[in-house]
Amino acid sequence: MNKKNRKNVHMVANAHLDPVWLWRWQEGCSEALSTFRTASELTEEFPGFVFNHNEAILYQWVKENDKRLYEDIRKLVKEGKWNIMGGWYLQPDCNMPSGESIIRNIQVGRRFFQQEFDVLPTTAINFDSFGHSKGLVQILEKTGYSSYVICRPAADWYEFTDQDFIWEGFAGSSLIVHRSDENYNSVWGHAAVELENFLKVKTQEEVTLFLWGVGDHGGGPSRKDLADLKQKIEESGDYHILHSTPEAYFAELKGINPAMNKVSLGLNPVAPGCYTSQIRVKQKHRLFENELYTTEKMAVAAEIQYGRAYPKEIIGEAIKALLFSEFHDALPGSGSPQVEEDTIRLLDHGLELLSKEKHYAGLALASTQERVKAGSSTILYYNPHPYDITGVFTCEVGLPTQNWSTDFFYPEVVFEGVKIPTQAEKECSNFSIDWRKKVVVHATLKAFSMNRMDVYFRPIEKRPVFDEIVSRQKYVFDNGRMKVIINTSTGLLEEYMVDGISYLTKGSFSLASFDDTNSPWGIQTSESSVRRNFGLLMPHEGSEFCGLKSKVIPSVRIIEDGAVRTTIEAVFGMHNSKAYIRYQLPKIGTEFDVDLGVLFTEKDQYLKLMLNIPQMENEFSGQIMFAREVLKQGEETVSQKWIMVRNKEDKNAIAILNKGTYGASYQAGELGITLLRSAGYTAADATMGKALQEEQWAPRMEQGERFYQFRITAGDEKELSDCIDQRAQAYNEEPYGMAYCPPGYNESLFYKEKGNFFTMDNPKVILSALKKSEDKEGYIVRFYESAGEQTEVNISLFDDQIKKRIAFKAHEIKTFYLSVIEGYLEETTLIEM
């Protein structure tokens, strides 16, 4: 073949290095140093060789632990022998983190590489992530990327064989994706053979990209592989093989401009077991996201209104803890037991940092509240959202004076001069003196405001007790709009109705355990799986589970009742596992909460919470990054804060909001929320045979207590669809409640008078972030359109001192810079560079 007409083969040498997986981060750090040191030496030994690597966390480890090597790498980058690839902080899971978390990952990484190496890659890299949310496309395009390299899902997922395709996202976004069928690494000493075999099946491509280098535990290129490839380059007559970069490959591909297939879906499912494995990590990660975004908003308000300095460094440290926890073998639950514990510890570290800053901001925001009134206690709720929130709120508080009598003091709450529905519920402690009160109210909390409640107490003879309900076959709760029927012989929900329309039917909220694979990546969902249902415990069994030794109580009972809500508790068992479910039914409104606790001891099983929906022409959908997507029925799916089943005929819908579950399935009217999987840690059958066959005890995931929270809401499909993201945000990023005796300082000491700090008038538009700018004195404000419709929203800041009307395309993300000093809000880039 004429040399001028030979096809270019872009060899991209890399060393896929998981900071954690079968090993802990300490070993990942050490391996990064070793891999980078070897790669640095090889770039000098082999002329023309280019090494590619991404992930800022690895470069930070080198910078902190081997300054000589770090300076060598900086020099090699300038010389073009070392290519900064990808440019993110690390390769995260690409389904479960919120879109806001992904933006932080990209921003931290790109800022690091720009500051340290003066480079900004245009090709994003997530070789090993288990699927990719459609919401990524718009994020990538708006953060400076035009191309993307992935390895999953594999070729058999697609309806075409080409490795390159156009991935279409939301709001008109798109980019070129290369799916590397050769995977991201090569076996040591076999790179040249693997290249030769790969080229035999890719003869139709006009230009080819080939990833190589020992990976997973680092390693990268070897002298043998480079020598073999050097000989292959010299001997090849059919191809022009060159050491290259992803950007060079895409530049040539765009020049050729071949016709490409288009994909407009999320690239899922991949390893669907990872949507649930190691559920504690997932729940704590969601809590971390919620606390981060709430703390940032409160810290901004505290700085603008009351002069408390924004804790940028502390929040920055917390963000890095969040990002590391999102690594694609940590958050998905495919790491070892040590990795699970390390990730939880890291999340706890970040949560502790945020808890202090959130409370300190709350104290600043409460500083102008009047002092406590005589004979009362004070509860303060800060609503961190630009919209009012109506619902049930709980906070514990102490009595104004200690109670040494046997009387029970019952709370009454005055809010904005009016008594509001209030009740006392069992406090968290079990100290048998009546000092602490869990105060439950129904109220409307004003947007971005501190809402003060004065709590008074009246003595009654004893703590309220409630009539038994098991003598009735069914317990019927009806508040005028919402009707809930619970079967007292099963403990399950018989019916949930709103305004006369049924949304859930007989047997809902049953716990079903299914035979499962022992792998954290897979999940057995075929109909042949054995299903075992939890059943209502006999009274003596239920009493023993509740820890009662001297009495026997019914296994379905009212445990709380008052002016705000009724709570029904039922206890269940299966084999050696136990569970409780609490249905929290409000006296006002159409949605209710479900709290669930499971003591699980089964192995190689997965547990689902099953809801039965009237079987009609239904559509199943869920929240993804900055958007929503129709989910495939009959298989395990991944979504974020909510899932919805819509009746196409009657235009009604039911939605389930969650606080840290991601996997779910829907088929033939049965919705299953996946709660846990008791698979083996990092278990996979491979060259050594079947996993978990050693004749010794082996740990399984989720052995012990696990706890869950859900909110069930239903109604007109359009009304629910328009506000579901807002409701899910308010449910997850809860108003901050605290018991506090405020100082009552004169507000003239502070920057802004009391009034409306921040309001918005369209529930379809969500405030995703309000945070301090990285480099300027002002603030970053980010919104997204949630309902999938073109719309507009009116923004008001500081009692209309700053007003703006903003138009959005369907699911569009927009970012603004807020200058308080100069009094303007203007659109800016998605990330700060």
Side-chain angles (χ1 to χ4, degrees), residues 473-672:
Q473 178 65 31
K474 297 178 180 179
Y475 174 78
V476 180
F477 176 91
D478 193 337
N479 68 12
R481 291 196 63 196
M482 181 181 74
K483 185 176 182 180
V484 173
I485 301 175
I486 296 171
N487 187 315
T488 59
S489 63
T490 65
L492 303 179
L493 186 141
E494 290 265 304
E495 190 166 36
Y496 164 50
M497 299 180 70
V498 173
D499 297 330
I501 298 172
S502 180
Y503 292 93
L504 292 175
T505 56
K506 184 177 180 180
S508 289
F509 296 100
S510 65
L511 289 164
S513 185
F514 298 83
D515 284 351
D516 195 7
T517 173
N518 62 20
S519 164
W521 294 277
I523 187 168
Q524 175 58 265
T525 58
S526 69
E527 294 180 0
S528 64
S529 294
V530 176
R531 173 173 175 171
R532 304 172 182 87
N533 289 327
F534 278 60
L536 191 70
L537 291 173
M538 297 296 290
H540 70 280
E541 296 173 318
S543 300
E544 182 181 0
F545 173 51
C546 293
L548 297 172
K549 297 180 180 179
S550 60
K551 62 176 74 173
V552 175
I553 62 173
S555 290
V556 182
R557 61 259 175 176
I558 297 176
I559 62 168
E560 303 290 357
D561 197 19
V564 178
R565 64 186 178 186
T566 300
T567 301
I568 310 294
E569 182 180 77
V571 289
F572 306 87
M574 182 208 71
H575 195 215
N576 293 320
S577 298
K578 304 290 189 293
Y580 71 82
I581 293 179
R582 289 176 177 170
Y583 306 96
Q584 297 181 330
L585 310 173
K587 302 297 175 70
I588 301 171
T590 60
E591 58 189 24
F592 67 98
D593 290 354
V594 173
D595 284 1
L596 166 66
V598 180
L599 173 62
F600 204 71
T601 62
E602 318 305 318
K603 292 179 173 60
D604 299 338
Q605 295 187 30
Y606 65 89
L607 183 66
K608 280 182 175 280
L609 182 66
M610 310 301 291
L611 285 71
N612 297 321
I613 296 169
Q615 292 189 38
M616 297 183 189
E617 188 73 20
N618 291 332
E619 179 185 86
F620 181 38
S621 61
Q623 185 191 50
I624 61 174
M625 294 176 190
F626 292 127
R628 61 188 62 180
E629 191 170 43
V630 175
L631 304 173
K632 188 175 180 180
Q633 299 186 26
E635 67 177 26
E636 192 74 359
T637 66
V638 61
S639 55
Q640 296 189 352
K641 294 176 185 173
W642 59 263
I643 49 177
M644 181 185 295
V645 177
R646 179 173 71 91
N647 184 322
K648 292 182 179 180
E649 295 179 357
D650 295 341
K651 305 298 183 184
N652 294 312
I654 180 170
I656 293 83
L657 283 55
N658 69 76
K659 289 189 175 179
T661 56
Y662 296 88
S665 59
Y666 177 75
Q667 187 172 24
E670 192 169 47
L671 176 63

Side-chain angles (χ1 to χ4, degrees), residues 86-380:
W88 293 24
Y89 185 69
L90 47 60
Q91 294 186 52
D93 177 79
C94 291
N95 280 306
M96 291 177 283
S98 67
E100 192 61 43
S101 288
I102 294 295
I103 290 172
R104 307 304 176 90
N105 189 324
I106 296 172
Q107 176 163 291
V108 172
R110 283 176 90 66
R111 286 176 63 85
F112 173 84
F113 287 120
Q114 184 183 40
Q115 292 167 359
E116 296 291 320
F117 296 92
D118 194 26
V119 296
L120 289 173
T122 58
T123 299
I125 302 292
N126 278 306
F127 293 151
D128 202 18
S129 300
F130 308 132
H132 307 263
S133 169
K134 181 178 177 178
L136 277 173
V137 181
Q138 184 182 184
I139 296 172
L140 289 171
E141 187 178 80
K142 290 195 171 187
T143 51
Y145 292 99
S146 58
S147 50
Y148 192 32
V149 181
I150 65 171
C151 296
R152 298 190 175 96
D156 58 1
W157 184 90
Y158 303 84
E159 296 179 351
F160 49 85
T161 59
D162 297 348
Q163 293 186 98
D164 298 302
F165 60 92
I166 302 294
W167 193 17
E168 296 178 324
F170 298 105
S173 60
S174 66
L175 72 163
I176 302 174
V177 176
H178 177 83
R179 179 197 71 242
S180 284
D181 291 345
E182 77 282 16
N183 213 332
Y184 50 78
N185 57 11
S186 57
V187 177
W188 187 94
H190 289 73
V193 173
E194 291 183 22
L195 172 61
E196 183 174 353
N197 292 334
F198 180 70
L199 291 175
K200 290 177 182 178
V201 298
K202 298 299 178 184
T203 57
Q204 300 303 313
E205 294 181 343
E206 297 183 75
V207 59
T208 293
L209 182 148
F210 179 73
L211 299 176
W212 73 280
V214 177
D216 289 326
H217 194 265
S222 68
R223 287 177 174 83
K224 181 182 186 320
D225 282 318
L226 280 167
D228 292 346
L229 288 169
K230 181 175 183 293
Q231 182 178 352
K232 180 73 175 174
I233 291 170
E234 292 171 351
E235 295 176 353
S236 176
D238 296 331
Y239 304 101
H240 179 215
I241 302 172
L242 63 155
H243 294 292
S244 189
T245 68
E247 280 80 4
Y249 169 75
F250 283 106
E252 182 174 354
L253 181 68
K254 292 174 184 177
I256 296 171
N257 193 27
M260 293 190 204
N261 293 284
K262 294 182 178 180
V263 175
S264 58
L265 302 172
L267 306 182
N268 289 304
V270 176
C274 287
Y275 307 153
T276 302
S277 294
Q278 296 184 18
I279 194 66
R280 289 186 303 162
V281 171
K282 293 169 170 60
Q283 291 174 319
K284 192 149 287 190
H285 165 264
R286 173 72 66 78
L287 176 63
F288 197 136
E289 286 188 320
N290 297 336
E291 292 297 291
L292 172 62
Y293 308 141
T294 299
T295 300
E296 286 179 335
K297 286 182 276 191
M298 291 179 65
V300 167
E303 180 170 82
I304 293 174
Q305 293 183 289
Y306 298 101
R308 184 179 186 274
Y310 186 92
K312 185 182 293 186
E313 290 186 6
I314 294 174
I315 288 179
E317 181 181 348
I319 287 171
K320 288 185 177 180
L322 174 68
L323 300 183
F324 198 96
S325 78
E326 292 173 344
F327 178 69
H328 64 256
D329 282 311
L331 181 56
S334 51
S336 70
Q338 292 83 4
V339 170
E340 179 186 39
E341 292 305 318
D342 287 351
T343 304
I344 290 172
R345 182 174 64 185
L346 181 64
L347 288 165
D348 282 335
H349 167 66
L351 283 166
E352 182 63 18
L353 293 175
L354 293 173
S355 71
K356 293 178 180 178
E357 296 307 323
K358 179 179 175 182
H359 186 64
Y360 298 160
L363 293 177
L365 292 163
S367 58
T368 57
Q369 292 289 322
E370 295 179 7
R371 294 200 172 198
V372 64
K373 297 178 181 178
S376 73
S377 299
T378 303
I379 293 176
L380 300 168

